[in-house]
Structures are given as C-alpha cells and as structure tokens.
Amino acid sequence: MTTLPVGASPARQDVLARRIRLLVAATISYNVVEAGVALAAGVVASSTALLGFGLDSVVEVASAAGVAWQFAGRDHQRREARERTALRVTALSFFALAAFVIVDAVRALAGDGEAQHSPAGIVLAAVSLAVMPVLSVAQRRTGRQLGSASAVADSKQTLLCTYLSGVLLLGLIANALIGWSWADPIAGLVIAAVAIREGREAWKGDACC
C-alpha cells in the first residue's frame, strides 16, 4: 500500500506524478529499442544471455507501463488501488522471464546449440550499462518522495537491467575473446536468479521506501 510522505501537498504529489510519467516514457522508449536489438541479436547468435536480456527489457516495458497506468489521471485514491495490480504484473513478468531463461540455459549447457559471437550484443550491453543507472536513480528518488512502491519497484527493475548489462557484457566478451561459449548460458542463469529475487519482492510489495 502506498504511504504518502508526511506533509506532501496535493500539488507536490501532482508534480512528482508528472515527473514519474516522464521517466516512465523515457524508460519504455529505451527498452523497446533495447528489446528489439537484444532479441534479434540473440536469435542470430543463439545466445541465451542476449535472449534473456531482451526479455528483461520486455518485462521492464510491462513494469513501466503498469506504473504509467497507475499514475494516469489525478485521482490519488485510484493510484493506491492500482498499485497492487501494477506490482503483481511486474512480479509475474519476472517469473515468466526466469522460467524461459532457465529452460534455454539448461538446453544450451546440455550441448543443444552453441552461442556465437555477437558484436551488436556487446555494444548494446555497454550502452545500457551507461544509460540505465541514470534512469534508475531518477525513478527511485521520485518514487520515494511520492511514497509509491510500484514506482520504486520499477526503478529496481531498471537498476537490475544495469547489473544484467554488466553480466551480459562479461559473458559476451568471454565468448568472443576466449571462446568460452558456456559463459553465455551461465550469464543467462544469473539473469534468471536475479529476476526470481526481484519478482518475489515485487509480489510481496517490499519495494518501498
């Protein structure tokens, strides 16, 4: 349940809500591009990690869309009622992502397809590693000021994308430079494990503040 900061006036709440909507729009725009590039590169390279990263971007779009839906309009009570639904959508998206990546990683480790090198994936991971922390900090600060668990949960999902960008980058570089094709599905399993943890927190509503 949302707990608004003590002394936050309706006018201040509206300012913060508008800021969240702008941040959500930026997050959705970037992640749509990120998802398209990662999924296409993942299919071409048979990369579990890239596919997982692309699906995580899809989850981020769903999560951000849930926050946008929550903050549509000016009815503060309706925002609170929608928050639980937004958190559940985020949690279920995380669990679906984890299930897919685990199955695909196990398949890859069993020898069914070897990940190829992906220069496009390396560039994408490096760019995301630079962009995502900025969005996450802005989202978290605004969400905490407003007292919105769903906005803070979305900022954590954006921060998760930062961590996953680093994991993905290491896995792709290890495969490209050293030939460690097994590093790709291992990176995918790391992505799945973190997604499960974040999904559990979102489901319980432990994201704020």
Side-chain angles (χ1 to χ4, degrees), residues 4-203:
L4 292 172
V6 177
S9 67
R12 176 60 176 165
Q13 294 172 31
D14 288 338
V15 169
L16 292 171
R18 284 196 298 272
R19 187 180 301 168
I20 285 178
R21 287 195 290 269
L22 288 173
L23 290 169
V24 164
T27 300
I28 289 175
S29 299
Y30 181 83
N31 276 279
V32 166
V33 175
E34 184 180 72
V37 174
L39 291 174
V43 170
V44 170
S46 299
S47 169
T48 298
L50 268 172
L51 289 173
F53 188 73
L55 289 174
D56 177 73
S57 299
V58 174
V59 173
E60 172 62 9
V61 170
S63 174
V67 175
W69 169 69
Q70 179 193 346
F71 285 95
R74 300 169 65 88
D75 188 334
H76 302 299
Q77 290 185 339
R78 182 172 294 180
R79 289 175 189 169
E80 293 188 11
R82 289 176 171 180
E83 180 164 79
R84 172 56 63 179
T85 301
L87 286 168
R88 290 295 172 86
V89 168
T90 299
L92 291 174
S93 299
F94 272 127
F95 295 146
L97 159 66
F100 174 85
V101 173
I102 289 172
V103 170
D104 202 56
V106 170
R107 176 194 61 79
L109 288 171
D112 186 9
E114 184 175 295
Q116 305 301 310
H117 302 169
S118 179
I122 291 174
V123 172
L124 175 65
V127 172
S128 295
L129 197 57
V131 171
M132 286 300 160
V134 178
L135 283 174
S136 177
V137 169
Q139 288 173 323
R140 180 177 293 105
R141 181 182 296 118
T142 306
R144 284 177 173 170
Q145 289 174 351
L146 188 57
S148 170
S150 61
V152 175
D154 190 54
S155 77
K156 293 178 72 175
Q157 159 64 356
T158 305
L159 183 61
L160 171 64
C161 188
T162 302
Y163 298 147
L164 299 188
S165 298
V167 171
L168 175 65
L169 188 60
L170 290 175
L172 294 178
I173 290 176
N175 188 19
L177 297 183
I178 314 176
W180 289 355
S181 59
W182 52 265
D184 185 273
I186 292 298
L189 289 175
V190 172
I191 291 173
V194 178
I196 291 172
R197 186 196 68 186
E198 294 299 325
R200 290 178 60 188
E201 289 188 4
W203 186 268

